[in-house]
Amino acid sequence: MSFVEPVALSTLTTMQVGGTPKSLQRCESTQELYGAAKSAWLSDEPHHILAGGSNTVFADDVSELNVILVANRGLEIVHEDDEKVLVRVQAGESWDEFVAWAVEHGYAGIEAMSGIPGTVGATPVQNVGGYGQEVAQVITQIEFLDSETHEVEIKPASFFNFSYRDSALKHGLRGVIGWVEFELKKLGGLSVPMASGQITNHVGAPYGSQLPLRQVRDVVIELRSSKGMVVRPEDPNSVSCGSFFTNPIISYGKSLEFPEDMQRWRMEDESQVKISSGWLIEHAGIPKGYHLPGSKAAISQKHALAITNTGGASAEEILQLARYVQERVAARWGINLIPEPNLIGF
Ligand SMILES: Cc1cc2nc3c(=O)[nH]c(=O)nc-3n(C[C@H](O)[C@H](O)[C@H](O)COP(=O)(O)OP(=O)(O)OC[C@H]3O[C@@H](n4cnc5c(N)ncnc54)[C@H](O)[C@@H]3O)c2cc1C
């Protein structure tokens, strides 16, 4: 097993906060990953599975925590015909490198999720998505080590009960993902029909158009960059976890109580509406760039939904700002915002 000298978790997470753990185990193969997880489950000590660290905020003191780092790489086409490919991707592969690979090879279905940081194996956890696509649309099966049974099994996507930014893995199902299999389409270099008005408006095409894959990737990265949503060393607004809160889903009836200019999206289930947390935050009197007095945690200058570390913030400062936002939004709009990132060790 590859224990390495523990380093501050601020260096392994995009929010750049978190202290030094008790131990750090870097697992470069799926077998190592499963072995490390089983040993951790058999011990009484606290542990955490960390991958790209782009959706995780660690506490300042994590000195009792044992961290297992997912670093298994590899990608394999397991089936190919005229219409589709099935691709099996190891958990530790970079998600965005996988998207770039798919776009380059003319495989459609994940192009609108370009520029999302982190690893492939973390994407099922919160059913990662953006610009009208989510991984639940393309995942066929997952190799999963269950913490209850300690058995490795290949589970169908339905086992994970995916919904908006959610899966069974956020509701009691515990285990480790070794690889994820995706079904991507061959559409002659075109994307799947675009379900994002932001993309189609940007290129002046009708909603639902199929666009060249490369164009979709470029547009999405451009749109995301303008909001500080691509991790770049030169963009201080990207020292974050992306969106800090999920967008609330409320009944259609309740949505009518909100001002007409509030951003909202109809759900497949037409009795429900997704509303914009960013709008709720700004309209609760918290502008972009806001910070509590003396704090180094701030709302992003580019996006009200992202909390950023403006340089040397503590984890506690990040959470103080998050709690303040929740309180203000609850007081003004009666909505409890739910944090999206995993908050570990608080
Ligand atoms: C600038 C920015 C923009 C973002 N934009 C988006 C967006 O548009 N849409 C979106 O959905 N998310 C977005 N995110 C959030 C984040 O990128 C995703 O949630 C991503 O999938 C996290 O991957 P990770 O490898 O960094 O996970 P980590 O933060 O390391 O882990 C996240 C969770 O997954 C678990 N986990 C990780 N790997 C495994 C595994 N192999 N087996 C079991 N559990 C595992 C961890 O224990 C933890 O609970 C953004 C983040 C940033 C910083």
Side-chain angles (χ1 to χ4, degrees):
M1 291 289 175
S2 33
F3 282 95
V4 294
E5 185 64 31
V7 292
L9 296 175
S10 55
T11 63
L12 298 177
T13 51
T14 55
M15 187 64 99
Q16 299 180 11
V17 297
T20 304
K22 181 173 177 187
S23 74
L24 183 60
Q25 202 172 345
R26 190 183 153 83
C27 301
E28 294 190 353
S29 74
T30 315
Q31 291 323 312
E32 255 185 317
L33 182 58
Y34 292 157
K38 282 188 203 169
S39 308
W41 295 332
L42 291 172
S43 86
D44 289 338
E45 297 201 6
H47 68 277
H48 181 74
I49 292 163
L50 174 66
S54 62
N55 211 20
T56 304
V57 180
F58 286 106
D60 297 310
D61 181 0
V62 284
S63 54
E64 297 300 314
L65 189 68
N66 298 290
V67 172
I68 297 168
L69 194 60
V70 181
N72 55 334
R73 309 285 305 249
L75 173 158
E76 175 193 9
I77 293 181
V78 292
H79 173 83
E80 179 162 18
D81 59 35
D82 291 346
E83 289 164 8
K84 61 180 185 303
V85 284
L86 289 179
V87 194
R88 231 169 245 188
V89 192
Q90 299 296 309
E93 275 294 334
S94 149
W95 169 257
D96 193 47
E97 282 176 27
F98 171 48
V99 178
W101 174 89
V103 165
E104 195 185 308
H105 287 80
Y107 304 144
I110 54 176
E111 53 283 358
M113 292 183 277
S114 290
I116 298 178
T119 59
V120 168
T123 58
V125 176
Q126 67 159 11
N127 181 19
V128 158
Y131 295 91
Q133 293 183 344
E134 55 183 24
V135 290
Q137 296 163 341
V138 284
I139 291 176
T140 50
Q141 49 185 12
I142 293 176
E143 187 176 89
F144 186 65
L145 168 66
D146 194 311
S147 71
E148 292 283 316
T149 61
H150 288 210
E151 297 288 337
V152 176
E153 284 184 70
I154 298 175
K155 298 284 192 190
S158 57
F159 178 77
F160 296 91
N161 216 2
F162 293 123
S163 60
Y164 165 67
R165 284 313 163 273
D166 207 11
S167 79
L169 290 157
K170 294 187 90 175
H171 300 279
L173 175 65
R174 284 178 64 231
V176 178
I177 291 168
W179 52 251
V180 186
E181 186 183 276
F182 301 87
E183 181 178 309
L184 304 178
K185 294 196 164 66
K186 291 183 179 173
L187 301 170
L190 294 181
S191 68
V192 296
M194 285 290 100
S196 159
Q198 287 189 74
I199 297 179
T200 50
N201 291 344
H202 192 85
V203 301
Y207 186 85
S209 300
Q210 290 178 263
L211 303 170
L213 287 168
R214 182 75 243 175
Q215 184 182 26
V216 174
R217 180 167 168 80
D218 290 347
V219 167
V220 168
I221 289 180
E222 189 187 332
L223 290 169
R224 296 182 69 90
S225 302
S226 70
K227 298 174 190 166
M229 287 289 174
V230 178
V231 176
R232 294 219 165 100
E234 66 274 19
D235 185 356
N237 292 291
S238 71
V239 184
S240 77
C241 282
S243 303
F244 203 92
F245 301 101
T246 53
N247 287 319
I249 294 174
I250 60 174
S251 69
Y252 177 71
K254 184 156 173 68
S255 75
L256 299 175
E257 295 169 16
F258 288 84
E260 271 179 24
D261 71 330
M262 181 188 66
Q263 270 175 290
R264 64 193 79 201
W265 301 271
R266 290 300 280 269
M267 303 290 287
E268 223 167 87
D269 169 358
E270 294 202 345
S271 67
Q272 294 192 313
V273 179
K274 187 162 75 179
I275 62 174
S276 161
S277 288
W279 188 96
L280 294 173
I281 293 169
E282 286 195 271
H283 289 80
I286 302 176
K288 295 189 183 93
Y290 177 85
H291 62 88
L292 292 167
S295 172
K296 299 196 191 81
I299 301 294
S300 160
Q301 307 271 358
K302 296 180 177 171
H303 198 320
L305 196 44
I307 291 181
T308 63
N309 174 353
T310 62
S314 65
E316 200 42 51
E317 283 175 310
I318 302 290
L319 282 219
Q320 267 167 3
L321 180 56
R323 284 192 286 262
Y324 177 77
V325 169
Q326 284 174 311
E327 281 163 20
R328 289 289 294 267
V329 169
R332 175 66 185 86
W333 297 109
I335 298 261
N336 288 321
L337 292 182
I338 309 290
E340 188 184 293
N342 301 276
L343 309 175
I344 307 297
F346 291 95

